[in-house]
Amino acid sequence: MILGPLFLLGLYFLPLWNIMLGAPQYPEPLGMNIHINGIRGVSEFDIQNIDGLNHYIGMRTLPKDEDMWEFSAFPLIVGGMIALGVLVGLLGYSNKLTYKWFIGWFLLMSVLGVLGMYDFNNWMVDYGTNLDPNAIMKLENPDGTPMTYKPPLFGHVKMLNFDVTSLPAPGAWMMFVGMSLTLAAGYLGWKSSRITPDVEISARLV
Amino acid sequence: MKRFAFKIGILLSGMALLFSGCNQGGKSANNGALSSSAAEKVYVAPGEQDAYYAFLSGGYSGNLTVYGLPSGRMFKEIPVFSQFPTSGYGYSEETKPLLNTSHGFIPWDDLHHPDISQTNGELDGRWIFVNGNNTPRIARISLSTFETEEIIEVPNSAGNHSSSFITENTEYVVAGTRFSVPVPQRDMPIKEYKGNFKGALTFISVEPEHGHMEIEFQVIMPGFNYDLSHPGRGKSHGWFFFSTYNTEEASSLLEVNASQNDKDFIAAINWQKIEEYVKNGGGTRVPANYAHNVYDESTHMATSTMKKEVLTVDPTEVPGAVYLLPTPKSPHGCDVDPSGQYIIGSGKLSADITVHSFDNMLAAIEGGQFDGEAYGIPILKFEEVLAGTVKSGGLGPLHTEFDGNGNAYTTFFISSEVVKWQLGSWEVVDRKPTFYSVGHLMIPGGNSRKPFGKYLVAMNKITKDRYLPTGPEMEHSAQIYDISGEKMELIYDFPTHGEPHYAAGCPADLLKPNSKKIYRLDENNHPYGIKSPADARVERDGKDVHIYMSTIRSHFTPDNIEGVKVGDRVYFHVTNHEQDFDVPHGFAAIGANTSEILVMPGQTKTIIWEPKQVGVWPFYCTDFCSALHQEMQGYIRVSAANSNMELSWSVGD
């Protein structure tokens, strides 16, 4: 339970999510990495070039770090959760807290994670559909509705000439590993409460 | 006989077709020569890339062309000595100074011999050097931007032909004169040539970090014609070898009068000895006037400086520095094998190739084996320095390069062929026709310690029926041979641009990773560049109007300009704000008495527009930059010379 939350430290230097945009004339795709504190280009000028392309279809420029409250709040929330998790782990190690706290931390983290994804998805909906009415290119779907450009939360879609792929990035994978470890800790703790002390010690460590 | 051979050729190619047809259906693909298809060897599938870069000189185009091997596809034409409206080179205010000389602005030259920079005798891919033959100049081209970065004029020279070859650590780029002339220039009878005209061999140092060139010294040689040259390498590093013709010192009807001596010379220059002599205060500083033009990648501008002095060296003052090696029949090519042991002189009026030995040369010098002297320069005994003679069976050898496996390949202009022969045994191994009248050839790295002996490119002077006819004037043809086997195989034939006299090549991997994609806008230090559209503006300074303009897909900032008057000089300073690979913007204004400019991402370029009539005149982007390229346009309003119209500018109002 001590080790698990520490995996979340990865979020401070590794991206949480990655969106790649490839097209025939972009054999080296453009890409953005979403970090908990802002959006960065995969290559140095990708953000500028994505904004340059998006202006044709009336999308706003990608938010700077200071443009979204999330980018200042997320680092604090993640930091709080790491501190809380380590504290719970330490107290669990000295038998002051039970495994139920481990599971409690996991559930709280999961709820926050889902809320984060929900928030992220809302932003993408807004970013991809709230378009400049004077956009250079106003395209319609086959059914006559205006075409929108929300990137996928997960997986691949074809958007005009671009193949857009959105997937969790190494920061998220580290978070998943960390969270799995805390879940495992909870499980082992639950088991040990019924069987042997060996398992209990490993649960606290994990 | 010729017709018979031609028929056999047709028959054979017909058989080859049949056989290759069979092979497609059959299973055995590797049973003999007929199954190895030349098409497969040169085919670089769509989306694939070539294995080698080839840089072919453009001769009278003044440019250098970049090709891929084995496909023969042309990638780029690099403007060097000639104005190039495609990019605005030599027209833009930033690049005009590159073409400045002591004779003023010169829009053209005859570009001959590219040579890639070397370290320890191997290609290092930093720069490529080329010579301007007509108004003697040497240029340095960056192999990360593939743009001309520097041009230095060579004083006391005329017909800068035995150039621009480099020593094995790029210590010097060497420029020898073809024409001997009065040094210094003066008014004198042409008939008094003999004994009075001189030939300057110029050693230009190359600063190792930035490549900047500086004339270190000129060796003032007898008035022969210095044709081609090559550096010693390996054991002969420190020496440089120049072929000569017209040792008769004729000034008229040279085709006869310069062909009388049975032997001319290869001049061997111990430049390390002269370098030492100069470092110890030797030589004479004489007045001169020559341009040194340098392009700065950060300001995107060139500056031209006139130099007023040059250090000359009288070779007779430096004992042991210069010797003459008798070489038959007006030698053209003067080539040194990868080991540095053999110096090959191609007597262009002869059937044979003369090979001198560096070791023999040293021994002959040591043993005092002289055969007289010319103007105080010792002539070594021919038999003492000779290593061997290649009895080629061809006629008119010109130029030799090497495959690194002990073989040499020589072009024969008169008999139109490439002959492969063995170093040491001097035996001919193979010969293949070229189409037609081959001048020079190139094997990537073939002029270094480490050749890449896979392909050979033969550059021909006569095209005739090789391609669909295009009237009297045709591009020259080149042929690619696969030389990886014992026998050479002609695998491709492609037209070139201008007249390639020489070429240099290297593996693609040497240059590919360093090729620049964009110029960084945040490193743009052009005095009229702008880093943000917010800085776009128009300023008046008397009759000069400076427009600080930016471009990004797909508009100019500003795109509406008013307050310009008839008689103004309008400077359009265009900064491309793109930071995306291969997204240039162009700029052209109606009635501009100059070319367009093509501005690379992050770059600033300037053209001058001088309005002569009132009106509202358009300008536009000349490069198809985006789906809205056609909308990338603007207007400039021109008022009468005495108008009170104030300057104003805008975009999107």
Side-chain angles (χ1 to χ4, degrees):
Chain A
M1 183 63 212
I2 299 166
L3 212 53
L6 290 175
F7 270 81
L8 269 65
L9 285 171
L11 288 172
Y12 284 96
F13 49 92
L14 293 171
L16 181 64
W17 222 262
N18 168 273
I19 303 179
M20 296 303 289
L21 301 100
Q25 59 273 58
Y26 283 93
E28 285 174 30
L30 299 170
M32 51 180 153
N33 282 325
I34 294 146
H35 292 253
I36 53 172
N37 59 347
I39 301 177
R40 312 276 176 263
V42 171
S43 296
E44 189 180 357
F45 297 107
D46 281 2
I47 297 298
Q48 174 180 338
N49 291 327
I50 291 168
D51 281 341
L53 294 168
N54 284 351
H55 100 282
Y56 289 114
I57 47 175
M59 291 170 86
R60 284 161 294 158
T61 55
L62 289 162
K64 306 254 182 304
D65 297 357
E66 60 275 15
D67 293 344
M68 283 177 67
W69 64 267
E70 285 90 340
F71 292 138
S72 42
F74 282 6
L76 298 176
I77 294 170
V78 171
M81 285 305 291
I82 293 171
L84 185 66
V86 171
L87 185 70
V88 166
L90 284 172
L91 291 174
Y93 192 63
S94 53
N95 278 327
K96 293 207 172 69
L97 291 174
T98 70
Y99 70 90
K100 287 177 183 157
W101 284 82
F102 300 177
I103 294 172
W105 184 92
F106 174 79
L107 290 175
L108 179 60
M109 189 64 214
S110 301
V111 168
L112 288 171
V114 169
L115 282 174
M117 302 267 277
Y118 177 73
D119 181 69
F120 178 46
N121 196 55
N122 273 352
W123 168 74
M124 286 203 297
V125 169
D126 179 52
Y127 177 68
T129 56
N130 191 355
L131 304 173
D132 182 348
N134 295 321
I136 294 164
M137 297 166 79
K138 286 188 276 286
L139 299 168
E140 289 181 347
N141 293 312
D143 64 5
T145 56
M147 193 177 276
T148 59
Y149 307 99
K150 178 196 165 296
L153 185 62
F154 190 93
H156 166 262
V157 293
K158 181 94 183 160
M159 248 179 227
L160 301 178
N161 55 329
F162 276 90
D163 284 292
V164 184
T165 308
S166 172
L167 290 171
W173 295 121
M174 279 188 72
M175 180 176 76
F176 294 148
V177 168
M179 287 175 68
S180 308
L181 284 175
T182 61
L183 188 64
Y187 169 73
L188 291 173
W190 169 71
K191 243 181 138 178
S192 73
S193 69
R194 297 152 33 121
I195 317 168
T196 68
D198 273 8
V199 181
E200 195 180 339
I201 289 165
S202 53
R204 291 179 205 132
L205 278 173
V206 166
Chain B
M1 177 61 206
K2 203 173 170 186
R3 178 161 293 178
F4 177 61
F6 180 59
K7 278 183 182 163
I8 288 187
I10 288 189
L11 197 69
L12 279 175
S13 59
M15 279 169 69
L17 264 177
L18 263 174
F19 272 69
S20 60
C22 287
N23 276 339
Q24 285 178 355
K27 53 185 172 7
S28 63
N30 53 354
N31 50 356
L34 285 178
S35 66
S36 73
S37 139
E40 274 174 29
K41 290 187 173 178
V42 297
Y43 184 65
V44 177
E48 306 270 302
Q49 295 184 334
D50 282 282
Y52 294 89
Y53 280 100
F55 297 87
L56 274 61
S57 82
Y60 39 63
S61 80
N63 299 341
L64 182 71
T65 43
V66 189
Y67 289 81
L69 296 180
S71 75
R73 298 183 294 191
M74 188 179 115
F75 303 143
K76 187 179 182 179
E77 185 170 8
I78 303 173
V80 186
F81 296 116
S82 292
Q83 282 183 303
F84 194 60
T86 304
S87 64
Y89 179 88
Y91 292 96
S92 74
E93 294 308 299
E94 290 81 2
T95 52
K96 277 181 188 170
L98 279 172
L99 301 182
N100 189 40
T101 73
S102 62
H103 306 270
F105 178 86
I106 294 186
W108 171 89
D109 213 313
D110 183 9
L111 185 153
H112 273 244
H113 310 129
D115 207 8
I116 296 170
S117 58
Q118 296 183 10
T119 302
N120 297 324
E122 294 181 16
L123 303 180
D124 63 25
R126 289 178 294 166
W127 308 294
I128 188 162
F129 296 88
V130 294
N131 59 320
N133 192 49
N134 182 51
T135 304
R137 284 173 282 176
I138 298 289
R140 180 176 55 82
I141 295 154
S142 157
L143 288 180
S144 68
T145 62
F146 291 67
E147 298 286 348
T148 303
E149 282 191 334
E150 188 172 359
I151 295 181
I152 193 164
E153 193 180 354
V154 184
N156 298 327
S157 177
N160 176 33
H161 196 272
S162 43
S163 320
S164 40
F165 301 105
I166 52 149
T167 54
E168 77 169 19
N169 290 301
T170 321
E171 296 98 333
Y172 293 97
V173 52
V174 176
T177 190
R178 167 183 163 193
F179 299 99
S180 281
V181 288
V183 175
Q185 275 291 4
R186 59 190 180 276
D187 179 10
M188 64 175 281
I190 299 172
K191 286 205 170 359
E192 290 173 21
Y193 177 141
K194 198 162 187 169
N196 288 313
F197 284 24
K198 298 289 175 197
L201 308 179
T202 306
F203 286 72
I204 302 166
S205 64
V206 179
E207 187 269 316
E209 196 183 342
H210 301 99
H212 289 153
M213 299 185 286
E214 200 84 55
I215 296 181
E216 291 298 323
F217 54 85
Q218 293 192 308
V219 185
I220 305 299
M221 294 284 285
F224 310 147
N225 290 35
Y226 296 84
D227 200 3
L228 278 166
S229 66
H230 268 107
R233 53 178 61 98
K235 61 163 70 175
S236 53
H237 177 56
W239 290 78
F240 222 94
F241 304 95
F242 296 82
S243 58
T244 68
Y245 66 100
N246 193 22
T247 51
E248 297 86 348
E249 297 181 75
S251 62
S252 178
L253 198 63
L254 265 66
E255 66 172 325
V256 176
N257 294 330
S259 307
Q260 296 307 306
N261 288 351
D262 183 49
K263 292 189 180 66
D264 293 283
F265 301 118
I266 284 178
I269 312 272
N270 186 333
W271 58 262
Q272 279 181 339
K273 208 159 226 171
I274 298 174
E275 185 182 59
E276 198 185 307
Y277 169 75
V278 164
K279 276 196 180 131
N280 293 327
T284 313
R285 296 209 167 270
V286 299
N289 188 30
Y290 62 99
H292 184 203
N293 313 326
V294 181
Y295 184 84
D296 181 336
E297 197 180 305
S298 108
T299 60
H300 300 280
M301 291 177 94
T303 48
S304 179
T305 314
M306 296 310 295
K307 302 266 178 144
K308 297 294 180 190
E309 204 179 57
V310 72
L311 181 65
T312 58
V313 174
D314 175 349
T316 60
E317 301 279 308
V318 196
V322 183
Y323 297 92
L324 299 173
L325 285 58
T327 305
K329 298 286 173 195
S330 304
H332 187 58
C334 175
D335 302 294
V336 179
D337 85 303
S339 73
Q341 166 69 333
Y342 299 117
I343 301 120
I344 289 129
S346 297
K348 61 181 183 278
L349 307 177
S350 158
D352 302 336
I353 304 162
T354 304
V355 184
H356 298 301
S357 150
F358 180 70
D359 288 344
N360 290 358
M361 182 187 92
L362 291 186
I365 294 169
E366 185 79 8
Q369 301 285 342
F370 301 121
D371 195 359
E373 58 174 48
Y375 299 103
I377 298 170
I379 301 169
L380 294 168
K381 278 188 180 154
F382 176 66
E383 298 75 17
E384 297 300 320
V385 289
L386 188 71
T389 300
V390 182
K391 297 284 176 193
S392 68
L395 197 57
L398 284 191
H399 175 212
T400 303
E401 289 208 350
F402 309 90
D403 64 5
N405 303 313
N407 300 302
Y409 300 78
T410 303
T411 51
F412 283 74
F413 178 79
I414 301 173
S415 55
S416 268
E417 60 185 335
V418 178
V419 172
K420 175 181 178 179
W421 51 276
Q422 215 168 32
L423 288 161
S425 77
W426 325 122
E427 295 293 328
V428 171
V429 181
D430 188 26
R431 61 193 329 125
K432 285 287 183 301
T434 62
F435 307 92
Y436 306 91
S437 297
V438 62
H440 291 267
L441 55 74
M442 184 274 282
I443 294 168
N447 164 37
S448 76
R449 277 207 221 175
K450 191 183 161 196
F452 300 86
K454 174 95 175 102
Y455 302 110
L456 181 157
V457 181
M459 289 161 277
N460 301 284
K461 302 297 185 192
I462 294 173
T463 306
K464 304 250 186 199
D465 61 349
R466 295 306 287 181
Y467 313 114
L468 289 174
T470 54
E473 190 189 344
M474 284 168 289
E475 295 286 23
H476 288 211
S477 87
Q479 271 101 44
I480 304 176
Y481 297 82
D482 179 344
I483 55 164
S484 55
E486 172 82 0
K487 301 284 177 187
M488 297 178 280
E489 189 190 352
L490 173 60
I491 54 174
Y492 202 59
D493 191 334
F494 66 101
T496 57
H497 201 56
E499 181 184 354
H501 288 269
Y502 232 81
C506 68
D509 293 337
L510 189 63
L511 307 186
K512 225 173 107 173
N514 305 325
S515 181
K516 252 197 163 72
K517 292 185 166 173
I518 58 163
Y519 299 101
R520 294 184 64 101
L521 185 61
D522 58 10
E523 291 174 0
N524 178 328
N525 293 317
H526 192 293
Y528 292 96
I530 49 173
K531 295 211 165 73
S532 157
D535 299 328
R537 61 191 185 275
V538 184
E539 288 174 356
R540 178 179 284 283
D541 175 16
K543 288 219 170 279
D544 289 349
V545 175
H546 292 277
I547 301 175
Y548 297 71
M549 182 180 266
S550 69
T551 61
I552 196 142
R553 281 164 290 179
S554 301
H555 59 275
F556 295 101
T557 307
D559 65 1
N560 280 198
I561 298 153
E562 299 193 342
V564 168
K565 298 171 200 172
V566 170
D568 282 348
R569 255 171 96 79
V570 180
Y571 291 78
F572 284 97
H573 305 287
V574 182
T575 304
N576 184 350
H577 280 192
E578 305 285 352
Q579 294 285 268
D580 196 357
F581 184 30
D582 201 17
V583 188
H585 290 293
F587 180 88
I590 190 170
N593 297 98
T594 185
S595 79
E596 65 138 6
I597 41 175
L598 196 62
V599 191
M600 294 303 126
Q603 196 176 38
T604 304
K605 281 188 185 175
T606 304
I607 56 165
I608 292 176
W609 185 67
E610 292 173 287
K612 294 164 196 75
Q613 302 170 54
V614 297
V616 179
W617 305 100
F619 54 84
Y620 72 101
C621 173
T622 50
D623 182 279
F624 205 110
C625 55
S626 71
L628 291 141
H629 155 71
Q630 205 68 352
E631 281 74 7
M632 192 161 171
Q633 60 184 47
Y635 286 106
I636 183 162
R637 175 178 170 184
V638 178
S639 305
N642 57 0
S643 156
N644 296 323
M645 180 67 78
E646 286 297 310
L647 280 177
S648 67
W649 60 93
S650 62
V651 64
D653 282 355

